[in-house]
Amino acid sequence: MIATADVGRLAAQLLQEKYQGRRVVELEAARRYTPNDVGATFAKILGRPVQTKAVPRETWGALFKSQG
C-alpha cells in the first residue's frame, strides 16, 4: 500500500531526470500493512466489524468484471 501522492511525487521527480534506456523503479511505503491491518482500520473508521478474506488470484479477473 502506498499513497497516491507519493506515487505522483516520485513520478514527477522521475520525469524531470535525464535518463536513457530502461530502468525499473520500485516504490514502497514506510512500512508494510497486512490485510488484517487494513481491515482493522476500516472497522475503526466504519464503527463496525470488518472481516478480511483472501481471494484466489485466478478468480480476480472474473470478480473485478462482476463488480463493474
Side-chain angles (χ1 to χ4, degrees):
M1 298 286 217
I2 189 135
T4 53
D6 293 335
V7 174
R9 189 177 304 109
L10 180 60
Q13 177 186 332
L14 293 171
L15 287 170
Q16 295 177 49
E17 292 179 4
K18 293 185 188 246
Y19 187 82
Q20 289 186 337
R22 173 183 264 193
R23 72 178 168 177
V24 176
V25 177
E26 294 186 21
L27 182 61
E28 188 172 291
R31 91 175 191 68
R32 293 186 177 193
Y33 297 92
T34 68
N36 288 336
D37 292 334
V38 175
T41 300
F42 273 111
K44 185 176 180 181
I45 292 168
L46 297 171
R48 62 184 176 89
V50 172
Q51 181 182 7
T52 59
K53 294 182 181 179
V55 177
R57 184 178 293 261
E58 61 272 8
T59 67
W60 289 3
L63 178 62
F64 291 151
K65 286 179 184 176
S66 74
Q67 294 174 341

